[in-house]
């Protein structure tokens, strides 16, 4: 039952009076819905699961298709377009319309798509869906508008590229093969026309049946059968021979006039065994036969190695003259293309490079340099060199960061071994647009490395790579059961850009603090062992007089002589074992981020420690904090000591809403110091828990300096392990709701959000003080006050006092983010210590806007010009379900907004946008929402990205959402979204990014202003180029008929061939085709209206002429009547004889 006290009534009256806003103090919010536009901008990385490859030899563009229907078109650095088929079907094959700004894709849903990329963003013009047959191969001759389509049934159809309509000309499989053949030849695996005679089409079937078909006579000129199944065919440029690759690793050469036997059969990599027989070889997936004017030909193929150990690695083999070179690849070969100077198949091709598409990489080999070196890839194709585990995005970062990172990264790069020639994929045009701000992306990886990327102006270039694993000794053996397979995997990153301090949390529950230095140094890395597990006493022992056995002192790692086994003073043995070992002694540290402090979490009694769930650093305070699944740790990075190591329930004190047994042990009389007792933080008289006032009792413990690198350091407060640390649901790592059916089941509360700020903790606070705000997985928000010694020498010697306070706010769902606004609604920038080079002394505490740009809406001051009872701050609290704006120091909730009902917020952030600030959220239903601040007025709710599209980051399937189970509803999600949230980022100016595949990052924006300027930042794909002249025929070839023969395909495949059956394929016009058709219809209607109007005008003219004629006739009739009347009067009285 709620108790009312006189003091509580007075406090409520004061807070209500102070919240009365005057007209001149109303906050004007400038953001409107039209300031927002959600759009995907740039995609970087390697196309995930590639399936197809094509090259335009005139435009010098490369196209890559993937298993998920994505299509990437690459040119010179900066020219990179990404589109996706609506059906998400795998791309089987790509064919460029050479030098025409278009390409055709064949997809696994048996559809053909014509893409136009003459504009900056490629669009589908036409689609053709085959109804009865499956597409297996397509071929488009150079400068032809007729596309050959081979099917699984063995038939060949012809499609008009311009209209995307099937021709009536069909080559049926039963007419192509010999009459005597009794079996089906299999699917079509190859189609190509003779280089010198376009009327001869070479057809290859999977079974090894090869047919040279005469398109004019509709008969087969040559039929031959290979002894092994067929994989690919390539022509010699003279058109007299062709070469086939087979599944047994053999190459066969055939002459067009000597069929049905091959001219030669060879197995390039076959070895003779002891029995005198050739060893079996892997299939040769593809072969290309190219010639140069020097007379020596190039035979290039993939695969074909023997099945022994030497042939296990994928390879590309180049046979040039009598020299055979095997180029081993790191990944399986998907496809390759030989780049040639001439696009004409009947000419000397003059090959100069090979583009090899691997499963996880793109390799370009220089054929003109001895040793066949690779070109240095200018694209960021190595994002997934080690799997990405987390991302951080800093838009509008300090301008000196990129040069600093580049300078240290360039020294570490090894550029030897690459070709000195220019990158051959030089298509398109891209000009570097001047950007007024800089962007940096940090990616954390499974091997413990962190890559720093320059993401400014739509590009992505690696600046620097930090290997955190070098801080530790190499693990002697595999990780034990239950541990992560990647002990160094980066899980959280916290960077202070201004001070260049970086702290990272790894999979082994370790935290490393790095400081940036431009020069190499030799120093020892300090390490602290901090157990993050807590022992709760039995219920009968939880009396105030109970004395917990003290835990051993947390000495630094390099001073601990026996860190693997430690015993408590009470005699009970407790084993501490650290999964990682920090390198001992002075270490040589290269320029860049250098390890300064390591916090290790030892395993207690063989049990793995809980994962680190939150991380934050404040260079101005000199503090670092990280939260775990069970508690919180605060580290003084100046004195390298542990200030606080406390379980989550202990942060509440007696105000724990779940009434859990207190976990903090009673201190021994000799522990602690008088300073802590004198400077205890007394909780406010009332704490706000969902509107209920709770009066916690006094007696909260304060924690001061704990472990240190000095042998004289005092041990921190003992920690304990909970007897029951089971989660609410073993398959779901965090609660989705703060309202639980049974509070007794609450035994674990993770720290999910940390925020350092100069703020208020009590209603009576006259000024701000350093604080740490803590958000938990159960929706609680707690504060910890920080008492910092004065700057200077005192800061190095006097301890920092941290005291948990009783201030508690409660929201539904896990706390995701917390930010602070001043009385004007502007974002209060965090304080930081400016970075100083090592050869310069002095430290400067700065509380100015963190960005160099002055047009961001930042608070110019930390305090407001209001009376002593007025609120001077707002804190924005965001959880998975709702957002609240709480006024400080009154602790009144002035605004609230329900962000999700049946869904939940995956990621939330307060960002600056257009001289203002707003709250943006990514919801589990795939929508992006934005709310103005501080009123939390909804601005947009736009469908953006389905959450299942990001499920590749998870390992479990079909997880039941426990919150919805409580509400009597069922909903399945792919996985707890913690991992997805680590790779989904919002940043300033409306920018954002997410990991769209294991090897790609996708940038997006919510700013309509940026969308308007996006077209200027995107490169042009198509540029007008002259087509090279076809090879000239020699006099003798023309005289004796040996030259190339032209073919009138329009005559063969046009209307004269008849109409194809409508049931074979269905034509689907693309969006652009619909627009053109609509334009034509509009033009037709306009013409009809104009013609009708013209006819109406002509009819009016005729009616006018008729009216004039009628008036003239009437006038003439009146004249005639008058004349007749006068004549009658003249002769009226006369006799007949008087006439």
């Amino acid at each position: 039952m709620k108790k009312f006290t006189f003091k509580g009534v007075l406090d409520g009256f004061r807070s209500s009076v102070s919240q009365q806003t005057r007209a001149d103090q109303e906050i004007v919010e400038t953001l409107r819905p039209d300031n927002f536009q959600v759009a995907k901008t740039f995609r970087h990385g390697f196309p995930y699961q590639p399936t197809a490859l094509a090259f335009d030899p005139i435009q010098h563009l490369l196209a890559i298709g993937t298993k998920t229907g994505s299509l990437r078109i690459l040119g010179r650095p900066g020219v990179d377009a990404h589109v996706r088929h609506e059906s998400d079907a795998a791309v089987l094959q790509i064919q460029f319309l050479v030098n025409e700004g278009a390409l055709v894709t064949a997809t696994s849903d048996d559809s053909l798509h014509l893409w136009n990329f003459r504009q900056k963003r490629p669009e589908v013009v036409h689609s053709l869906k085959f109804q009865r047959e499956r597409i297996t191969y397509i071929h488009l001759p150079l400068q032809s508008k007729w596309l050959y389509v081979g099917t699984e049934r063995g038939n060949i159809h012809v499609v008009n590229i311009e209209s995307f309509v099937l021709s009536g000309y069909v080559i049926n499989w039963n007419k192509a093969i010999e009459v005597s053949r009794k079996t089906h030849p299999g699917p079509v695996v190859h189609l190509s026309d003779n280089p010198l005679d376009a009327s001869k089409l070479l057809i290859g079937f999977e079974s090894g049946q090869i047919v040279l078909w005469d398109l004019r006579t509709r008969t087969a000129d040559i039929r031959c059968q290979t002894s092994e199944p067929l994989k690919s065919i390539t022509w010699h440029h003279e058109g007299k021979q062709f070469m086939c690759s087979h599944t047994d690793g053999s190459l066969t050469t055939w002459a067009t006039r000597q069929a049905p036997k091959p001219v030669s059969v060879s197995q390039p990599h076959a070895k003779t065994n002891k029995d005198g027989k050739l060893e079996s070889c892997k299939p040769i997936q593809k072969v290309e036969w190219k010639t140069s004017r020097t007379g020596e030909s190039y035979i290039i193929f993939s695969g074909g190695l023997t099945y022994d150990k030497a042939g296990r690695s994928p390879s590309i083999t180049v046979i040039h003259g009598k020299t055979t070179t095997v180029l081993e690849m790191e990944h399986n070969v998907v496809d390759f293309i030989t780049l040639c100077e001439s696009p004409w198949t009947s000419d000397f091709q003059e090959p100069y490079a090979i583009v090899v598409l691997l499963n996880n990489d793109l390799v370009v080999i220089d054929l003109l340099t001895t040793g066949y070196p690779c070109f240095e890839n200018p694209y960021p194709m190595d994002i997934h060199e080690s799997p990405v585990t987390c991302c951080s995005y800093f838009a509008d970062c300090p301008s000196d960061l990129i040069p600093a990172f580049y300078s240290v990264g360039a020294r570490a790069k090894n550029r030897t071994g690459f070709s000195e020639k220019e990158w051959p994929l030089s298509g398109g045009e891209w000009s570097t647009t001047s950007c007024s701000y800089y962007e940096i992306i940090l990616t954390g990886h499974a091997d413990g490395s962190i890559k720093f990327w320059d993401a400014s102006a739509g590009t992505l270039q690696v600046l620097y790579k930090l290997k955190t694993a070098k801080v530790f000794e190499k693990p002697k053996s595999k990780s034990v059961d239950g541990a992560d397979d990647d002990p160094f995997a980066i899980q959280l990153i916290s960077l202070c850009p201004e001070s260049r301090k970086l702290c990272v949390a790894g999979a082994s529950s370790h935290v490393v603090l790095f400081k940036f230095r431009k020069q190499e140094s030799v120093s020892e890395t300090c390490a602290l062992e901090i157990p993050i597990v807590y022992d709760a006493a039995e219920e009968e022992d939880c009396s105030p007089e109970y004395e917990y056995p003290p835990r051993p002192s947390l000495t630094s790692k390099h001073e601990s002589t026996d860190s693997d086994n430690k015993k408590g003073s009470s005699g009970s043995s407790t084993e501490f074992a650290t999964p990682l070992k920090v390198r001992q002694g002075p270490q040589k540290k290269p320029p860049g981020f250098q390890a300064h402090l390591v916090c290790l979490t030892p395993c207690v009694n063989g049990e793995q420690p809980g994962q680190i769930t939150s991380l934050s650093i404040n260079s101005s305070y000199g503090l670092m904090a990280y939260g775990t699944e069970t508690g919180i740790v605060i580290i003084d990075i100046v004195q390298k000591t542990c200030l606080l190591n406390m379980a989550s329930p202990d942060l509440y004190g007696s105000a724990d809403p779940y009434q859990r047994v207190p976990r903090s042990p009673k201190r021994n009389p000799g522990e602690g110091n008088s300073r802590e007792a004198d400077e205890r933080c007394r909780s406010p008289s009332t704490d706000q828990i969902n509107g209920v006032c709770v009066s916690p009792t006094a007696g909260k413990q304060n924690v001061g300096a704990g472990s240190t690198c000095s042998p004289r350091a005092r041990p921190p407060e003992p920690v304990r392990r909970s007897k029951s640390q089971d989660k609410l649901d073993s398959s779901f790592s965090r609660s989705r709701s703060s309202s639980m059916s049974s509070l007794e089941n609450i035994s674990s509360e993770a720290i999910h959000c940390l925020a350092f700020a100069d703020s208020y903790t009590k209603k009576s606070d006259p000024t701000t003080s350093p604080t740490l705000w803590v958000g938990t997985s159960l929706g609680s928000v707690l504060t910890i006050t920080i008492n910092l010694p004065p700057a200077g020498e005192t800061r190095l010697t006097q301890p920092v006092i941290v005291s948990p306070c009783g201030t508690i706010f409660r929201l539904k769902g896990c706390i995701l983010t917390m930010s602070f606004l001043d009385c004007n609604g502007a974002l209060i920038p965090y304080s930081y210590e400016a970075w100083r080079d090592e050869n310069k002394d002095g430290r400067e505490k700065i509380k100015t806007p963190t960005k160099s740009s002055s047009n961001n809406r930042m608070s110019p001051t930390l305090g407001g010009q209001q009376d002593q009872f007025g609120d001077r701050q707002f804190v924005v609290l965001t959880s998975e379900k709702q957002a609240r704006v709480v006024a400080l120091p009154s602790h009144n909730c002035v605004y609230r907004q329900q962000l999700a009902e049946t869904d939940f917020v995956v990621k939330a952030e307060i960002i600056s946008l257009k001289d203002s600030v707003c709250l943006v959220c990514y919801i589990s239903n795939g929508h992006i929402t934005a709310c103005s601040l501080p009123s939390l007025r909804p601005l947009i709710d736009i469908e953006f990205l389905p959450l299942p599209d990001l499920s590749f980051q998870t390992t479990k399937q079909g997880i039941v959402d426990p919150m919805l189970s409580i509400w009597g509803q069922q909903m399945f999600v792919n996985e707890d979204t913690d991992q997805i949230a680590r790779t989904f980022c919002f940043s300033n100016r409306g920018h954002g990014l997410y990991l769209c595949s294991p090897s790609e990052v996708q940038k997006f924006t919510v700013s309509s202003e940026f969308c308007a300027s996006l077209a200027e930042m995107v490169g042009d794909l198509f540029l007008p180029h002259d087509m090279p002249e076809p090879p000239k025929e020699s006099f003798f070839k023309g005289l004796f008929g040996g030259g190339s023969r032209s073919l009138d395909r329009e005559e063969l495949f046009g209307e004269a061939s008849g109409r194809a059956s409508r049931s074979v394929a269905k034509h689907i016009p693309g969006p652009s085709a619909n627009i053109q058709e609509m334009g034509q219809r509009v033009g037709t209607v306009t013409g009809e209206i104009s013609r009708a109007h013209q006819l109406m005008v002509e009819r009016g003219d005729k009616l006018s002429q008729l009216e004039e004629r009628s008036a003239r006739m009437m006038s003439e009739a009146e004249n005639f009547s008058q004349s007749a009347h006068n004549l009658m009067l003249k002769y009226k009285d006369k006799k007949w004889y008087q006439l």
Side-chain angles (χ1 to χ4, degrees):
M1 181 176 178
K2 183 175 180 180
K3 295 182 180 180
F4 293 93
T5 61
F6 181 72
K7 188 175 185 301
V9 172
L10 284 179
D11 288 340
F13 178 73
R14 288 173 181 171
S15 62
S16 63
V17 171
S18 64
Q19 284 302 303
Q20 294 178 356
T21 57
R22 296 191 292 264
D24 58 345
Q25 293 179 353
E26 291 182 358
I27 298 175
V28 179
E29 298 177 351
T30 59
L31 287 179
R32 303 183 307 275
D34 56 3
N35 296 132
F36 293 85
Q37 182 180 347
V38 180
K40 297 177 183 178
T41 53
F42 303 99
R43 177 172 291 208
H44 302 291
F46 178 77
Y48 183 58
Q49 294 180 327
T51 55
L53 182 68
F55 180 70
D56 188 325
I58 305 302
Q59 291 291 325
H60 292 93
L61 294 173
L62 189 76
I64 301 175
T66 71
K67 187 178 180 179
T68 57
S70 292
L71 182 66
R72 288 277 291 277
I73 303 178
L74 303 171
R76 69 177 66 249
V79 178
D80 187 345
H82 170 263
V83 288
R84 189 167 182 174
H85 294 82
E86 290 185 359
S87 62
D88 294 341
V91 180
L92 300 178
Q93 199 176 346
I94 307 172
Q95 283 278 314
F96 272 99
L97 278 67
V98 176
N99 202 28
E100 294 185 21
L103 58 83
V104 178
T105 57
T107 53
S108 60
D109 61 347
D110 307 313
S111 297
L112 298 173
H113 306 275
L114 177 64
W115 293 85
N116 176 25
F117 58 85
R118 285 179 175 263
Q119 65 278 0
K120 290 192 174 184
R121 181 172 177 81
E123 292 181 350
V124 174
V125 180
H126 296 286
S127 296
L128 192 65
K129 170 78 172 176
F130 277 72
Q131 309 281 1
R132 296 180 178 180
E133 301 185 65
R134 299 191 66 84
I135 300 173
T136 56
Y137 198 88
I138 61 174
H139 170 63
L140 180 66
L142 184 64
Q143 291 190 323
S144 171
K145 68 175 183 179
W146 298 97
L147 176 73
Y148 302 113
V149 182
T151 67
E152 191 177 35
R153 293 186 180 180
N155 301 322
I156 294 94
H157 299 273
V158 185
V159 177
N160 187 307
I161 291 298
E162 295 177 349
S163 61
F164 240 56
V165 175
L166 271 179
S167 167
Y169 193 105
V170 181
I171 304 174
N172 294 309
W173 68 271
N174 55 356
K175 294 182 179 180
I177 65 173
E178 296 178 359
V179 180
S180 60
R181 185 184 178 96
K182 297 181 180 180
T183 58
H184 191 277
V188 176
V189 296
H190 179 82
L191 291 170
S192 62
D193 51 338
N194 189 307
L196 294 182
D197 190 353
S199 65
K200 303 297 174 62
L201 181 67
L202 188 64
I203 306 169
F205 297 93
E206 188 179 56
S207 63
Q209 178 76 55
I210 300 174
V211 178
L212 187 62
W213 184 263
D214 192 323
L215 296 171
R216 289 194 180 96
T217 62
R218 302 196 179 204
T219 58
D221 278 4
I222 297 174
R223 293 186 181 95
C224 54
Q225 177 68 43
T226 63
S227 58
E228 298 294 335
L230 185 66
K231 298 300 291 185
S232 70
I233 304 178
T234 179
W235 280 99
H236 189 271
H237 82 278
E238 293 180 349
K240 296 178 181 179
Q241 290 182 327
F242 57 88
M243 184 179 296
C244 307
S245 67
H246 304 278
T247 56
D248 65 342
S250 63
L251 296 174
T252 57
T253 306
W254 303 77
T256 56
R257 296 184 181 181
Q258 295 179 0
K261 292 184 179 181
V263 176
S264 65
V265 179
S266 65
Q267 283 185 295
H269 295 303
K271 299 177 183 178
T272 305
N273 56 21
K274 297 178 181 179
D275 300 332
K277 297 181 180 179
L278 293 177
E279 295 180 355
S280 58
C281 297
K282 296 179 181 179
I284 295 179
Q285 301 293 340
K286 181 179 180 180
V287 62
E288 289 194 352
W289 193 358
K290 305 297 181 182
T291 56
S292 62
R293 298 190 184 277
T294 59
E296 292 185 340
S297 62
Y298 287 85
I299 298 174
I300 305 165
F301 58 89
S302 60
L305 295 179
T306 57
Y307 280 99
D308 59 6
K309 293 183 179 179
R312 289 181 181 176
S313 60
S315 64
I316 294 289
T317 301
V318 180
I319 302 178
H320 183 212
K322 296 181 180 180
T323 304
T324 301
T325 305
V326 179
L327 305 172
E328 292 187 357
M329 301 292 154
E330 295 182 359
H331 309 283
N332 290 332
V333 178
V334 176
D335 197 0
F336 75 89
I337 288 179
T338 307
L339 308 188
C340 303
E341 296 287 351
S342 174
W344 302 97
T345 57
S346 58
D347 193 8
F348 291 99
Q349 288 96 0
E350 298 292 343
Y352 60 89
I354 310 171
V355 177
V356 186
L357 179 63
L358 307 177
N359 269 341
N360 287 300
D361 201 359
L362 181 70
V363 178
V364 183
I365 301 167
D366 182 5
L367 283 178
L368 302 182
T369 303
T370 305
Y372 302 139
C374 294
F375 289 92
E376 187 175 10
N377 198 329
Y379 310 130
M381 293 287 186
D382 58 346
I383 291 177
H384 63 299
E385 183 179 12
S386 177
V388 178
T389 53
C390 66
C391 298
S392 293
Y393 190 9
F394 298 90
D396 202 2
C397 63
S399 58
D400 58 346
L401 272 188
I402 292 180
F405 292 160
Y406 179 79
S407 63
V408 297
R411 287 183 243 176
K413 281 187 179 180
N414 184 11
R415 299 180 179 273
T416 60
F418 290 106
S419 173
E420 297 180 357
K421 292 183 170 57
E422 292 185 0
W423 181 250
L425 306 178
S426 57
E429 186 178 30
W430 180 76
S431 58
T432 306
T433 55
S434 59
C435 196
S436 59
Y437 55 92
Y438 299 92
E439 304 172 44
I440 287 181
I441 295 174
L442 275 64
T443 56
H445 300 267
D447 63 352
S449 63
I450 300 175
K451 291 183 179 179
F452 297 75
W453 305 84
D454 177 9
S456 307
T459 62
L460 190 70
Q461 296 294 326
V462 67
L463 297 170
Y464 168 55
K465 182 177 180 180
L466 172 65
K467 297 179 180 179
T468 64
K470 289 187 175 182
V471 178
F472 306 95
E473 297 178 1
K474 292 183 179 180
K476 296 180 181 179
S477 61
K478 293 286 184 180
S479 57
V480 296
D481 294 340
D484 201 320
D485 292 335
D486 300 307
F488 305 112
I490 306 298
Q491 292 185 333
L492 297 171
I493 298 175
S494 179
L495 171 69
C496 179
E498 291 79 11
S499 65
R500 301 184 189 178
K501 288 184 174 65
L502 171 72
C503 54
V504 299
S508 297
S509 300
H510 63 278
V511 176
V512 186
L513 171 68
F514 294 91
K515 291 184 177 180
F516 186 85
R517 290 185 178 179
K518 288 186 176 181
Q519 303 298 328
E520 185 180 273
S521 67
V522 177
S523 62
E524 192 172 358
T525 304
C526 181
L528 300 177
E529 289 183 16
I530 307 174
I532 316 286
V533 286
Y534 302 90
D535 288 332
E538 299 296 336
E539 189 172 351
E540 62 269 18
D541 293 332
C542 290
S543 63
E545 292 80 15
Y546 180 74
E547 199 71 45
Y548 290 88
R551 186 180 53 77
S553 62
L554 301 176
T555 58
S556 64
K557 174 62 185 164
H558 64 267
E559 295 219 359
S560 174
T561 58
D562 187 9
S563 63
D564 293 325
N565 294 293
K566 298 180 182 179
K567 291 186 178 182
S569 61
S570 63
S572 60
S573 63
T574 303
E575 294 185 358
F576 290 84
T578 54
L580 300 179
K581 308 291 183 183
V582 178
R583 291 181 182 269
Q584 299 290 322
Q587 300 293 320
K588 184 178 180 181
K589 301 176 182 179
F593 282 102
Q594 300 175 0
H596 181 69
L597 177 66
V598 179
C599 298
L600 298 173
T601 306
C603 305
V604 180
N605 296 330
E607 295 188 19
Q608 294 297 321
Q611 294 296 315
I612 295 175
T613 53
S614 57
L615 182 66
S616 182
I617 185 173
N618 188 287
S619 59
S620 174
Y621 300 164
L623 299 180
M624 175 179 70
Y626 59 94
T628 70
E629 296 174 353
T630 54
I632 185 175
V633 175
I634 302 178
I635 303 295
D636 184 346
I637 62 176
V638 177
Q639 301 184 24
K640 301 178 183 178
T641 59
C642 175
L643 301 178
L644 181 70
N645 183 6
M646 183 174 283
S648 303
D650 296 337
L651 295 174
Y652 294 91
S654 61
D656 186 1
Y658 303 109
Q659 300 178 358
R660 291 166 288 196
V661 177
R663 299 188 180 194
S664 289
K666 182 179 180 181
R667 283 181 171 271
N668 291 329
E671 291 188 359
N673 50 50
S674 60
R675 185 183 295 104
E676 298 179 59
D678 295 337
E679 299 183 6
R680 287 181 181 177
C681 173
R682 293 180 176 83
S683 61
S685 59
T686 59
D687 293 324
Q688 198 166 11
I689 306 178
N690 283 339
V692 179
C693 295
V694 179
S695 297
T697 60
K700 290 185 169 51
Q701 292 186 335
N702 298 6
V703 183
S707 64
T708 177
C709 289
S710 170
R712 296 187 299 273
R714 303 286 305 173
E717 184 179 8
V719 293
R720 292 156 283 116
R721 169 176 292 282
S722 172
K723 300 287 185 182
S724 172
Q725 291 190 1
D726 298 330
K727 296 182 177 60
L728 297 175
D729 191 309
S730 61
S731 63
F732 204 78
S733 69
R734 71 173 185 239
S735 165
R736 293 294 183 195
S737 174
S738 60
S739 62
M740 296 298 165
S741 58
S742 176
L743 296 182
E744 291 82 7
N745 293 332
I746 304 298
S747 61
S748 177
E749 185 173 10
I751 306 298
H752 265 271
C753 185
L754 296 168
F756 287 100
D758 288 339
S759 185
Y760 305 89
T761 57
K762 298 184 246 181
K763 295 181 180 179
S764 59
D765 285 346
T767 58
T768 61
S769 60
T771 59
L772 174 63
W773 288 63
V774 181
T776 74
S777 59
L778 299 182
S780 298
V781 177
L782 308 101
T783 57
I784 298 175
T785 60
I786 302 170
N787 188 352
L788 293 170
E793 293 295 328
T794 309
R795 178 67 180 85
L796 302 176
T797 56
Q798 296 296 323
V800 178
I801 308 299
V802 293
S803 306
C805 292
T807 303
I808 302 173
F809 301 99
R810 292 291 312 286
L811 282 75
K812 289 183 179 180
C814 173
I815 302 298
L816 299 181
T817 184
M818 298 178 287
S819 290
F820 296 84
L821 309 178
D822 66 3
C823 59
N824 299 316
L827 189 65
I828 298 177
Y830 58 86
S831 58
Y832 59 85
E833 176 189 71
W835 179 78
R836 294 290 184 223
D837 203 352
E838 58 181 357
N839 55 359
K840 295 181 181 179
D841 296 326
R843 295 169 53 178
E844 182 181 356
K845 185 174 179 179
I846 300 179
K847 294 183 179 180
T848 54
T850 60
K851 308 296 183 257
S852 57
S853 172
S854 61
N855 56 2
N856 284 341
R857 185 177 174 184
M858 291 292 188
S859 171
T861 175
L862 297 179
Q865 302 295 329
Q866 296 191 16
D867 57 83
Q868 58 179 344
F869 297 106
D871 286 314
R872 297 174 288 277
Q873 258 188 17
F874 298 102
V875 58
V876 184
L877 309 174
T878 309
S879 74
E880 293 174 318
K881 286 292 181 180
Q882 56 188 201
R884 292 187 185 181
V885 175
V886 178
L888 298 177
S890 69
H891 292 180
N892 285 340
C893 180
V894 291
Y895 300 105
R896 68 180 66 199
Q897 181 65 243
Q898 191 75 14
L899 299 176
E901 295 290 345
T902 58
D903 302 295
F904 57 89
V905 179
V906 177
K907 186 75 173 183
E909 199 68 56
I910 286 89
I911 64 169
S912 64
L913 177 67
K914 203 173 177 61
D915 303 337
S916 188
V917 289
C918 62
L919 169 66
V920 288
C921 304
Y922 172 57
I923 315 295
S924 63
N925 60 3
H927 288 219
I928 280 185
T929 63
C931 298
S932 65
L933 289 177
S935 70
L936 293 176
R937 174 172 49 90
L939 294 171
I940 60 167
D941 187 348
I942 299 176
E943 185 177 357
F944 175 64
L945 177 71
L947 188 60
D949 287 359
L950 304 178
S951 63
F952 64 88
Q953 303 181 51
T954 63
T955 55
K956 301 176 185 177
Q957 298 294 328
I959 306 299
V960 179
D961 191 330
M963 178 191 67
L964 298 177
S965 301
I966 293 172
W967 293 347
Q969 303 179 22
Q970 292 292 329
M971 178 181 178
F972 289 89
V973 295
N974 289 327
E975 170 67 48
D976 178 23
T977 56
D978 281 343
Q979 180 57 37
I980 295 176
R982 287 174 184 166
T983 57
F984 197 107
C985 306
F986 291 107
S987 191
N988 289 326
R989 296 181 179 265
H991 293 294
L993 71 84
Y994 61 93
L995 192 68
C996 58
S997 77
S999 58
E1000 296 170 286
V1001 293
Q1002 175 71 60
K1003 294 175 65 177
F1004 65 92
T1005 183
V1006 298
S1007 169
S1008 57
E1009 183 179 3
F1010 185 80
C1011 288
S1013 61
L1014 184 60
E1016 301 176 0
M1017 304 175 67
V1018 178
D1020 293 308
L1021 292 171
F1022 178 79
L1023 296 176
H1025 287 287
D1026 294 332
M1027 193 72 181
E1029 295 183 358
K1032 296 181 180 179
E1033 297 180 5
S1034 66
F1035 173 77
F1036 293 102
K1037 283 188 177 180
L1039 182 62
F1040 297 105
S1044 59
R1045 302 175 187 176
S1046 61
L1047 173 68
D1048 188 357
R1049 295 186 178 91
E1050 185 68 34
E1051 181 182 351
L1052 287 175
F1053 308 137
E1055 296 180 358
S1057 64
R1059 291 187 177 182
S1061 174
R1062 293 184 178 180
S1063 61
V1064 176
K1066 178 183 179 182
H1067 177 258
I1068 305 172
S1072 58
N1074 290 336
I1075 294 174
Q1076 294 175 0
E1077 185 178 353
M1078 189 180 297
Q1080 293 176 356
R1081 290 180 180 177
V1082 170
T1084 303
V1085 171
T1086 305
E1088 292 293 337
I1089 294 175
S1090 177
R1091 191 158 49 254
H1093 177 71
Q1094 184 66 26
L1095 292 174
M1096 189 180 296
V1097 171
E1098 292 178 357
R1099 185 179 180 185
D1101 293 341
K1102 291 181 180 179
L1103 288 175
S1104 299
Q1105 294 175 5
L1106 182 61
E1107 186 178 359
E1108 291 176 358
R1109 194 176 299 171
S1110 299
R1112 192 165 55 251
M1113 290 178 62
M1114 185 179 295
S1115 178
E1116 291 177 354
E1118 290 179 357
N1119 293 335
F1120 179 77
S1121 173
Q1122 186 65 32
S1123 300
H1125 182 70
N1126 293 336
L1127 185 62
M1128 184 270 294
L1129 292 177
K1130 179 178 179 181
Y1131 295 102
K1132 178 180 179 181
D1133 298 329
K1134 291 186 178 180
K1135 302 295 183 180
W1136 60 272
Y1137 52 84
Q1138 294 178 338
L1139 296 175

